[in-house]
Amino acid sequence: MPADPLHSARTPQRSTTSQPPSGSGASAIEVRRSARRRRTVSAYREGDRTVVLIPARMSEAEEQRWVSVMLDKLAAQESKRVLGDGELAERAERLSAQYFDGRARPTSVRWVTNQNTRWGSCTPSEGSIRLSHRLQGMPEYVVDYVLVHELAHLLVPGHGPRFWRLLEAYPRTERARGYLEGVVAAERLPHLPGTRED
């Protein structure tokens, strides 16, 4: 385990690593407890894991609550960062390697502003993938899901059983689909009287 840069080597610590809930698709979570840490809790990404730093005196229930809070905070921070087209293409390449052994090879991946009824589209004959600008600012796992969905179309053009089997490789498929369905449902809700934006 790499040394915690916020604490000296003499600081007594306890570290536990856990896997996220099954099917959540989140990275492993490592909780590092420190006797020197009194009240503050912090978290950061370290490779494919999330590290949460907490005071040693916290109960297991407090630990669980704070881990959940910090994961939400990190997700909110990450969702504010908008990827450029180059970063989007790099992300697609990484996702292809991770979920499809690099077999899905798009020739271009870019944001577009003319897709208001679809989250993404793919032209398998050209190898091009386009993502709606409406995804910008959504959680990374949602953008990743749409990318994985379109990458899968490079391997299987339609939405048959073989296509959906490919998507099973992405562990946050159901969660991302639920998020996108919630966005669509919210857009259809009537505006309440007296809540006009001026």
Side-chain angles (χ1 to χ4, degrees):
M1 176 180 73
D4 181 354
L6 301 177
H7 304 95
S8 69
R10 290 175 294 180
T11 303
Q13 293 183 342
R14 183 169 61 91
S15 177
T16 56
T17 302
S18 63
Q19 293 301 320
S22 177
S24 73
S27 60
I29 301 161
E30 180 178 340
V31 177
R32 295 180 186 169
R33 290 176 172 261
S34 168
R36 290 183 63 182
R37 187 174 282 267
R38 297 287 178 215
R39 289 186 291 270
T40 60
V41 177
S42 60
Y44 60 92
R45 304 284 191 212
E46 186 177 82
D48 64 348
R49 71 180 53 229
T50 301
V51 177
V52 181
L53 306 169
I54 65 171
R57 62 174 176 72
M58 272 193 182
S59 69
E60 293 296 319
E62 287 175 311
E63 175 183 318
Q64 288 180 6
R65 184 176 73 81
W66 275 107
V67 165
S68 178
V69 166
M70 297 313 289
L71 289 174
D72 288 345
K73 275 190 171 187
L74 280 176
Q77 290 168 355
E78 291 167 351
S79 72
K80 290 177 184 172
R81 185 172 172 270
V82 175
L83 301 173
D85 287 350
E87 292 170 304
L88 201 59
E90 288 172 12
R91 193 172 197 91
E93 185 178 335
R94 181 181 57 76
L95 290 166
S96 175
Q98 186 173 356
Y99 297 109
F100 305 128
D101 298 320
R103 292 178 295 131
R105 295 187 184 113
T107 56
S108 70
V109 183
R110 61 190 174 93
W111 296 108
V112 293
T113 57
N114 63 351
Q115 288 189 154
N116 294 315
T117 59
R118 293 187 291 182
W119 297 113
S121 61
C122 173
T123 307
S125 61
E126 298 173 1
S128 61
I129 291 175
R130 295 159 303 282
L131 265 56
S132 171
H133 72 287
R134 296 184 307 140
L135 289 165
Q136 293 175 340
M138 290 190 187
E140 286 188 2
Y141 75 91
V142 176
V143 176
D144 283 356
Y145 163 73
V146 177
L147 276 172
V148 168
H149 184 108
E150 302 308 333
L151 286 165
H153 278 309
L154 293 177
L155 303 174
V156 179
H159 286 103
R162 194 167 147 245
F163 173 82
W164 293 110
R165 276 195 301 276
L166 276 177
L167 274 192
E168 288 173 5
Y170 184 65
R172 297 181 100 173
T173 291
E174 289 307 312
R175 185 174 178 188
R177 285 172 59 99
Y179 184 99
L180 293 171
E181 287 169 6
V183 169
V184 171
E187 289 171 352
R188 292 181 182 152
L189 290 174
H191 294 286
L192 297 175
T195 59
R196 266 185 326 156
E197 290 183 20
D198 295 318

